[in-house]
Amino acid sequence: MEDTRLKVELAAYQQAQTLTAALYQGQTGIGVDIEHLSDINIESETFIERNFTLGEQKYCWGRPNAHASFAGKWCAKEAVIKAVSSADLDHEKVWTKGDAAPLVDIEIVTSASGAPQVVLHGEAKEAVERTGVRQIKVSISHIDAFAMATAMAIIN
């Protein structure tokens, strides 16, 4: 299973790099995350409240596979952190709260087109503004027992 995860993550990362080179000039950052659904504990009320806004919770619990929806949004948040962190490698450390920091300030909503959209709040918004990142794009996928997301942070 770990071998499959690594292959999928590598393929997604390579695809994201190719798309970035083709579409954007200037500084960009790429982030990819993949999770096994069992790694996302949706039975923990504390985990859900620390990491998902009320809107995200309502959306995910209303989906046919809530577990996949939560895992996809989790992956998107992790991918956003990686993309913003890699957009300008000369910039000081962006995220200062450590690995156990709550991710509720990074919200993944559904845009009018149906695509996922990043909305930043609080400390996450302030951190991203300090980096010069002006736009973040994200894509989420689910397959079998996995969810994954790719994010691109653009400095213009």
Side-chain angles (χ1 to χ4, degrees), residues 102-142:
L103 300 182
V104 71
D105 282 350
I106 302 170
E107 183 177 17
I108 310 299
V109 300
T110 304
S111 68
S113 71
Q117 180 178 359
V118 179
V119 178
L120 301 169
H121 306 282
E123 291 181 26
K125 183 176 182 177
E126 292 169 11
V128 170
E129 286 173 350
R130 286 192 302 271
T131 67
V133 168
R134 298 292 172 243
Q135 190 175 20
I136 302 172
K137 300 284 191 177
V138 67
S139 178
I140 303 171
S141 294
H142 316 93

Side-chain angles (χ1 to χ4, degrees), residues 8-30:
V8 170
E9 190 165 347
L10 177 61
Y13 182 77
Q14 289 171 335
Q15 181 181 24
Q17 281 186 316
T18 301
L19 289 171
T20 300
L23 296 174
Y24 292 95
Q25 303 235 347
Q27 290 179 297
T28 58
I30 302 296

Side-chain angles (χ1 to χ4, degrees), residues 18-77:
T18 301
L19 289 171
T20 300
L23 296 174
Y24 292 95
Q25 303 235 347
Q27 290 179 297
T28 58
I30 302 296
V32 177
D33 193 62
I34 183 169
E35 298 287 343
H36 195 274
L37 297 187
S38 65
D39 292 338
I40 306 301
N41 184 5
I42 65 170
E43 303 302 320
S44 169
E45 188 175 323
T46 301
F47 173 78
I48 296 296
E49 290 176 358
R50 279 177 43 89
N51 295 294
F52 300 96
T53 65
L54 291 176
E56 289 172 318
Q57 292 175 44
K58 182 178 178 183
Y59 173 86
C60 291
W61 288 124
R63 303 302 298 165
N65 186 343
H67 208 158
S69 293
F70 276 112
K73 287 189 183 291
W74 174 265
C75 288
K77 293 168 185 248

